[in-house]
Amino acid sequence: MNFISDVNSAQRATSLIQNAIPQATLSLLTMLVLQFCCQSPVTASDPLSTAQRIPVSNAANPSTDELERYCLSLINDSRKTGGLPVLQQDSALSGLARKYAEYMLAHPEHYVRPRVSPHLDLEGHIPMDRARAAGITTEVHENLGMGTRGAKTDYELVYFQHKTMMSEPDGQHNHKSIILDAEAHGVGIGIARGGRYFFLVEEFGH
């Protein structure tokens, strides 16, 4: 399984926008495409705490706001476990995240099996370009995820995307290191879902 990590610095080179990246170099850039075929249930030995268990109430038909709040609770529980301060949801970052999540849902063919980093939109804009266009002047680190709807509830899609991110190795620049970055001061979460697709965007302000 391959994951998307922040590309604000390493991928600002224009050659990344202009040229397709060879497949062999995409190991850290490929979309977090979770098909959720794992049959193992969440157990007490799971690395996520009891506070992070999938909600029971309204589990079948949660609102997007409820899913975003649940994702924030997962992020903050992981940060607290790591001895880090919790993050508040930032309205500007949330707007940025939701807009890109909706953009991904509108163009699934660009993100399901990406040939270049999914942090690049169809116009070649990277996260910081989109942030500046939204009036955000601070540095932004972006996590992306995608799930296939149907076999799992939307709550479960959020849960397993976060679980997979937090299972990444320490000491590397990846989703986990972005979530546990001590310099992060706020976060925006955007979720867009429709048909079989489920997209998650996390924008961390620095």
Side-chain angles (χ1 to χ4, degrees):
M1 194 71 66
N2 295 322
F3 304 104
I4 301 167
S5 60
D6 172 76
V7 293
N8 290 329
S9 55
Q11 294 184 338
R12 189 168 283 279
T14 57
S15 60
L16 179 62
I17 297 175
Q18 297 170 345
N19 301 293
I21 304 173
Q23 189 65 32
T25 67
L26 287 175
S27 61
L28 289 180
L29 301 178
T30 304
M31 172 63 67
L32 173 61
V33 181
L34 298 181
Q35 299 303 326
F36 302 116
C37 57
C38 177
Q39 300 300 314
S40 301
V42 177
T43 65
S45 60
D46 194 276
L48 297 179
S49 75
T50 302
Q52 292 177 308
R53 299 294 175 239
I54 298 166
V56 175
S57 61
N58 201 29
N61 189 31
S63 69
T64 300
D65 285 345
E66 288 173 321
L67 291 171
E68 291 173 355
R69 287 195 297 270
Y70 175 55
C71 184
L72 178 63
S73 73
L74 298 179
I75 289 171
N76 280 332
D77 198 59
S78 293
R79 288 178 62 87
K80 286 187 289 186
T81 299
L84 297 168
V86 300
L87 299 177
Q88 299 298 317
Q89 195 152 357
D90 180 271
S91 60
L93 293 172
S94 294
L96 178 67
R98 289 167 184 156
K99 184 176 181 179
Y100 197 49
E102 293 290 346
Y103 182 91
M104 295 168 74
L105 181 63
H107 304 282
E109 70 284 351
H110 183 66
Y111 297 100
V112 175
R113 292 181 178 88
R115 297 183 60 187
V116 297
S117 168
H119 293 278
L120 293 170
D121 62 27
L122 291 173
E123 290 74 39
H125 299 137
I126 64 173
M128 284 306 303
D129 295 330
R130 295 190 292 272
R132 294 294 180 265
I136 298 170
T137 58
T138 57
E139 184 177 354
V140 173
H141 294 184
E142 182 175 85
N143 280 343
L144 303 178
M146 193 201 89
T148 301
R149 303 176 76 202
K152 301 289 185 182
T153 69
D154 289 346
Y155 269 127
E156 289 174 316
L157 293 178
V158 174
Y159 173 81
F160 284 108
Q161 287 187 37
H162 183 78
K163 176 183 176 182
T164 304
M165 290 180 183
M166 293 306 298
S167 297
E168 292 174 342
D170 294 323
Q172 298 182 13
H173 184 64
N174 51 31
H175 298 87
K176 182 178 181 178
S177 70
I178 291 175
I179 291 170
L180 299 181
D181 193 331
E183 295 183 2
H185 60 70
V187 63
I189 299 165
I191 289 174
R193 49 197 170 139
R196 59 183 298 211
Y197 297 117
F198 184 101
F199 291 99
L200 167 67
V201 179
E202 298 171 350
E203 306 283 5
F204 292 83
H206 285 252

